Amino acid sequence: MFIALDLDLLTMDDPVSMISRSGATGTLIAEFRALSDATDMGGAPKYAPKPVLHGLARFITGASGGPNKDSELFELCHLIAILARMAPGTDARAEFFLGITKAAASIFRATIHGYGDPGDGISVDDGGVNATYGDGEFGVRYGRMPLLAALYEFLIASDGFENYQPINDVFDGLNEGAASVRDIQDSANALSSIVRQYRRKHIQRSKYDDKFNAILTFLRARTVDNKIHVDDETVLDFWVSNNDAGDFRVYKTVFEGFVEFMKSFEMGGRTDAVERSAVIGTDFEAHEVEPDDQAGDIFSLSDWQSPLAVLAEGAAADIKFFKKESEQKPIEALMQYGPYAERLAMAFLRLESFGPIQAGITNDLQVKRGRASIETRITCDDAFEYRDKVAGFEAILDHVKQLQKAAYHVLTSGAGQAGNVVSLFGDAPETSFEAARNNDALAEVDAAALAEIGAEAEAVFRKIVRKGFEESVLETDDQIEGFRIGAGALVAMEGLLRRYIKTAAAFDNAPPDLAERFASDRATFAARFQTLYGDVQ
Amino acid sequence: MTSYTITDDKQIDDAREIFGGLAAMNDVLEEATGTDNVAAVAPADLYAFALGHADPAASKVEAALKTSAPIRAAFHDLLSCASDFHVPRAMAAASDDIDVREGADCRISIQPSEAAPGQVYVIVELTQAGSRDPKVMHLMGAGDVYHRTELPEFYDGIAQLIVEVTSEIITLLQDPDTEVFLK
C-alpha cells in the first residue's frame, strides 16, 4: 500500500529569525517562560512543573491530539462562568487567577469556600465546584484549577497581549451570565479559534513533519508489507545511516524521536477511538464525556510521568527519598522514558553509555575546548559499560525497596493510618517487599507474618538518617501525605527497575552478552563520532 | 520489537500531527528552562504592579508599559477593574494648566508650596467616608506615557505629596489626557 507523505506546510507569519532552535518561536518560548518563572509571594514557583506547566505545554502545542485537544478551554469557560456567579468584586476574575499565591488545588479550594453561600445553581464540595445550567450541569475539580489558571494567564498574554481584548470579551460574555452549556461551548469554540491561529503562527510544524517523515520513510524502506517495526537496532541503524545528519546528528535526539514516533502512533489510535465515541459535553445519555475524563483516558495509556517528578512536588518534596547525585541521577533517564526505555532496552542502554560522550563532545565544541579533548572522547574509552549501568540500577532498586519499607512503616504507624497502605500497595500491602520475597499471597500471610513485616519496616525506617525520616513525621499529616504520595511513586519505580533489570539480564544471558555488545557498540559509536566530529575544529 | 500496521493515510496524518505536538511540547519545556531565553511579562506581574505589590518583575513591567500598546491596554483594563478610585480624562475644553482633577469619590489638587518655591503639594482627597485608603497612584498619559508613585498615609481622607514643580507627576496631572487610578 502506498502512503502519500504530503507535507502540511503551514504559513509562517513570523520572520525566520523569530524561530528558536526548536520549531517554536521565541515569542512562544518567552510567553511560556513568563509562567514557568512566575513565583508566589515566598519566591517559590507559582506553577508546578508537573503536571501544571507540562499540561500547559501540551495544550499550547496541541500534543494530546485528537478532535478534543482544546477541551481545557471548555473547562476554563465553565470555571469563569461559575466565578461570575460566585465571586464578589469587579476584579474577582483577576484576583482568582492572577493572585500572588501558589497555584495549588488547596488554595483554590479555600478561595472558593471563602466566597460563602454559592447561591442558586452552584454547589461546592470537597472535590470541586459544580454548576447547573438550563440544559445540563458541569463540575470543575480543584485539582484542575492550577492548570486552568496557567492557561488563563497564557491566553490573555498571548502574542504580546495582542489577544487580551478578544479573549477578555469572550470571558466578559460569560460574566454576563451563561445560561446554558451551549453558551459555554460557543465561548470555548471562540477561544479555540484564537488558539489555532496562535499555534499556526508560533509552531513551525514543517520542521516536526520533516522529522516524522524521515523516520517513517526509513521504517517503511525496511519492510515489505503494511507493517512498520521499531526495535533497538532500528534506532541505531537510523542514527548511523543518517547521512544528512542535521536534526538527527545526536543519538539522544534519534532515541527521543523514535519514542515520540511510537507514542504518536499509539495516541493516534486512541484518539481515533475517542473521536468515534466521545463528544465533549455533559449529556451522559448520549455518551458525551467531560473533558477531564477524556484527558485522563488519553494520558493514562501512554503519557508516562516520571515517578521522580512526583516525588519532587507537594508534600513528598519535603522528604529526601533520594540523594541527588548518587541515587537519583543514575535513574533519571530511565524514569523519564519509563515504558519506552523498557521497549527499547538496548537502545536506551546505548543512550546511557554513549549519550554523555556525545554531550561532552558537543560541549567541547561550544566552549572551544580544543581538539585534544574531542579526540579523547571520540574513542569512547570513557563510556560506561553496560553491566556497570545495570549494576547501578540494581543498587538503586535495593534502595527503593528499603524506602518502601520505611513508607509502609509511616503509613501503618500513625494514628488513624490503618487502611492507608491498602490504597498504595494494592490489595496486598506487603507484596512490594515481603510477599515477593516469600512468594506468598496476601491470604497466606498471617497476623504473625504481618507483625514481622511491620517490625522490619520500622527498623528500616529508623535506620534511614535523612530529612523527612524523623520519628516526628508520624505525627504530621503533611509528611504522612508525603509518604502516601511517595509510596505510589516508589511502587512504580520498583516495577520499572525490576522489569528493566530482567530484560538486561536476558540480553546478558544470550550471546552476544552485554560485555560483547558493549565492545561492538563502542566501536560503532567511535566510528560514527569520528565521521561527525573527526575533522571539526 | 514494536510493530504498527499502517491502515490508511489518515492514520499517518494523525500520527504526524501528534508527533509534531509532542516534539514541540518537549522543545518548549526544554527551551523554557534554558538560559538564553528571556521571559515575557506575565499577567500576574501586571496585576501585582497594578496593586502596588513589591514584585521582582516591576522594572520589566514598567518598561513594557512604555513600549507596548497591547500591554498598556491590558494594564488599563486591569486597573479599571481593580482600582478603588478613578479620575477620567479631563474635558477637552479644559485649559492646559489644570490644578484640580476630580473623579468619583476623590479629588486631586496641586497647590504651591510657600516654603519652597520650586515645589508643589499634590493633595489627594477621598470624599467618600469609609473608603479604603489607596497605596499607589497610577498616571496613564497619552501615548506611551506612564508614571506610578507610592502614596503616603492618609489622615482624615487626605494624603499629600510634595514634589518638584517640574516633575513628571505634575506634568501628567496637568495634562487633560492623563487618567489617574488610585489603588
Side-chain angles (χ1 to χ4, degrees), chain A residues 149-477:
Chain A
L151 178 56
Y152 176 87
E153 272 212 72
F154 187 86
L155 289 175
I156 62 172
S158 61
D159 262 337
F161 287 79
E162 290 277 3
N163 292 325
Y164 181 93
Q165 201 51 53
I167 287 175
N168 225 28
D169 288 346
V170 173
F171 291 149
D172 285 345
L174 294 167
N175 262 1
E176 286 154 15
S180 66
V181 174
R182 187 69 254 168
D183 293 341
I184 302 284
Q185 184 64 64
D186 290 345
S187 299
N189 288 341
L191 296 179
S192 270
S193 170
I194 295 170
V195 169
R196 271 198 302 278
Q197 289 176 42
Y198 185 88
R199 287 181 183 136
R200 266 202 294 273
K201 185 174 175 183
H202 293 290
I203 299 172
Q204 189 187 17
R205 294 303 292 242
S206 61
K207 181 184 173 78
Y208 301 117
D209 288 349
D210 288 349
K211 289 174 86 171
F212 177 91
N213 292 337
I215 295 173
L216 181 66
T217 303
F218 180 82
L219 295 176
R220 290 186 64 80
R222 294 161 70 98
T223 185
V224 291
D225 55 17
N226 62 343
K227 283 185 185 294
I228 51 175
H229 311 287
V230 179
D231 61 15
D232 297 313
E233 299 321 302
T234 315
V235 177
L236 183 63
D237 290 351
F238 181 85
W239 179 63
V240 169
S241 65
N242 212 294
N243 290 326
D244 55 340
D247 282 340
F248 293 120
R249 170 181 286 256
V250 177
Y251 179 79
K252 183 177 185 229
T253 308
V254 170
F255 179 84
E256 289 182 338
F258 273 84
V259 167
E260 283 159 5
F261 185 89
M262 292 164 77
K263 279 186 188 173
S264 63
F265 267 88
E266 287 152 22
M267 289 174 71
R270 281 180 295 114
T271 50
D272 245 11
V274 167
E275 193 172 10
R276 282 195 298 273
S277 66
V279 175
I280 289 188
T282 51
D283 182 356
F284 302 111
E285 295 300 314
H287 305 293
E288 292 185 350
V289 299
E290 292 187 40
D292 197 27
D293 296 341
Q294 190 162 330
D297 175 52
I298 287 171
F299 302 147
S300 64
L301 287 171
S302 84
D303 198 52
W304 165 264
Q305 181 176 6
S306 169
L308 288 171
V310 175
L311 294 179
E313 287 167 22
D318 293 331
I319 303 165
K320 194 173 178 65
F321 289 103
F322 293 91
K323 291 177 184 167
K324 192 163 180 56
E325 285 300 314
S326 61
E327 294 167 351
Q328 180 170 321
K329 208 168 174 184
I331 57 166
E332 270 176 359
L334 179 62
M335 295 300 138
Q336 179 192 337
Y337 299 116
Y340 292 93
E342 281 180 76
R343 288 159 69 178
L344 295 171
M346 271 310 301
F348 174 74
L349 213 40
R350 290 176 181 129
L351 174 67
E352 285 283 270
S353 289
F354 301 104
I357 302 284
Q358 193 169 20
I361 294 172
T362 306
N363 192 48
D364 284 350
L365 290 169
Q366 282 171 349
V367 301
K368 300 189 184 339
R369 194 168 279 130
R371 284 300 307 167
S373 175
I374 293 171
E375 281 166 13
T376 303
R377 292 186 199 275
I378 283 175
T379 63
C380 296
D381 284 347
D382 294 334
F384 295 110
E385 293 208 25
Y386 294 158
R387 281 178 177 161
D388 290 344
K389 288 301 303 181
V390 177
F393 293 154
E394 287 168 341
I396 292 170
L397 174 60
D398 288 342
H399 176 61
V400 168
K401 288 192 272 190
Q402 295 297 97
L403 291 173
Q404 285 183 340
K405 291 177 186 178
Y408 179 82
H409 172 65
V410 172
L411 295 170
T412 54
S413 299
Q417 298 306 314
N420 265 356
V421 80
V422 171
S423 60
L424 297 166
F425 294 108
D427 290 337
E430 79 296 354
T431 47
S432 295
F433 56 89
E434 190 62 30
R437 188 183 70 189
N438 296 334
N439 200 24
D440 288 341
L442 177 62
E444 294 164 359
V445 179
D446 60 20
L450 278 174
E452 190 187 330
I453 291 167
E456 185 182 346
E458 182 176 0
V460 168
F461 175 80
R462 292 185 193 288
K463 205 171 153 189
I464 298 175
V465 182
R466 56 177 76 179
K467 188 184 171 202
F469 288 80
E470 304 87 3
E471 196 65 32
S472 57
V473 307
L474 301 175
E475 310 299 326
T476 316
D477 286 347

